[in-house]
Amino acid sequence: MLRIFFLLIGSSFSLAASATSDDIWLLVDTNALKIEVKKGEQTLDTIDGIAIGQGGAGFKNHRGDSITPAGSYTIGWVNERSSFRKFYGFSYPSAEDAEKALARGLINRFTYDRIMYAHRHHQIPPQNTPLGGQIGIHGLGRADEKIHKMMNWTHGCIAMTNGQIDHLSQWIDKGTVVKIK
């Protein structure tokens, strides 16, 4: 009986793994305010009506600038019990972000080394740098959906309704690539 229990659990894990395949990735279009779920170059799903940072999208110069970072990231962690319903945290700042920030004098060599070390060792980069952190995709939680539909309101994250984040969660998990343009 115990052996059957373990076999059933093992098979459910493989089903979950196939639902969030390694070749699924997200393309976030910050101009069109949509996310495309991609497999290779094929679009499998599109989620419209997202919100981004109040400062638009681009290079984040500092914590609190309300800019959604443009670039390529992976989902580094998942918080299923976030106050924003679900939170998929990015591997932000990326190695590229760190290189640009060091060249512009926005971070020091110690911070740069910490970020690069994390990326080399497949860890979440430090989230308390001058470039900010805790950037990801999340739902609204108890926030007002009317505000969400009226404006870009986040401090740099990508937000969607609770129904949309629940729908997106079937496609993504830790390790999913997210390209923000």
Side-chain angles (χ1 to χ4, degrees), residues 60 64-69 73-77 87-93 127 131-138 154-158 180:
K60 285 187 71 62
D65 63 9
S66 293
I67 293 175
T68 298
Y73 304 94
T74 57
I75 294 175
W77 74 95
F87 186 91
Y88 294 91
F90 295 160
S91 60
Y92 174 84
Q127 297 295 292
L131 298 176
Q134 301 293 316
I135 301 291
I137 301 173
H138 60 73
T154 76
H155 294 290
C157 288
I158 297 158
I180 304 169

Side-chain angles (χ1 to χ4, degrees), residues 35-180:
I35 295 177
E36 293 180 31
V37 178
K38 309 281 261 180
K39 183 171 185 173
E41 292 304 310
Q42 178 186 8
T43 301
L44 303 176
D45 199 355
T46 302
I47 300 170
D48 294 305
I50 65 169
I52 62 170
Q54 294 173 11
F59 182 77
K60 285 187 71 62
N61 288 298
H62 59 85
R63 179 183 307 126
D65 63 9
S66 293
I67 293 175
T68 298
S72 186
Y73 304 94
T74 57
I75 294 175
W77 74 95
V78 178
N79 181 353
E80 293 279 346
R81 295 184 179 172
S82 166
S83 60
F84 291 106
R85 179 78 164 214
K86 294 179 183 173
F87 186 91
Y88 294 91
F90 295 160
S91 60
Y92 174 84
S94 68
E96 185 179 325
D97 294 326
E99 289 169 7
K100 286 180 185 175
L102 182 65
R104 295 177 184 180
L106 301 174
I107 60 173
N108 60 27
R109 180 55 120 176
F110 177 73
T111 300
Y112 170 84
D113 289 342
R114 288 177 52 221
I115 294 168
M116 298 306 279
Y117 178 88
H119 284 289
R120 276 194 304 277
H121 293 89
H122 307 288
Q123 298 173 353
I124 297 168
Q127 297 295 292
N128 60 347
T129 73
L131 298 176
Q134 301 293 316
I135 301 291
I137 301 173
H138 60 73
L140 295 179
R142 302 177 127 222
D144 189 345
E145 196 169 321
K146 291 176 189 166
I147 299 291
H148 175 76
K149 290 180 179 183
M150 289 174 33
M151 61 185 281
N152 288 320
W153 58 272
T154 76
H155 294 290
C157 288
I158 297 158
M160 54 183 50
T161 68
N162 292 334
Q164 288 172 322
I165 196 73
D166 289 345
H167 176 77
L168 182 66
S169 68
Q170 72 180 312
W171 295 109
I172 64 172
D173 206 349
K174 188 175 171 185
T176 301
V177 172
V178 181
K179 295 181 181 180
I180 304 169

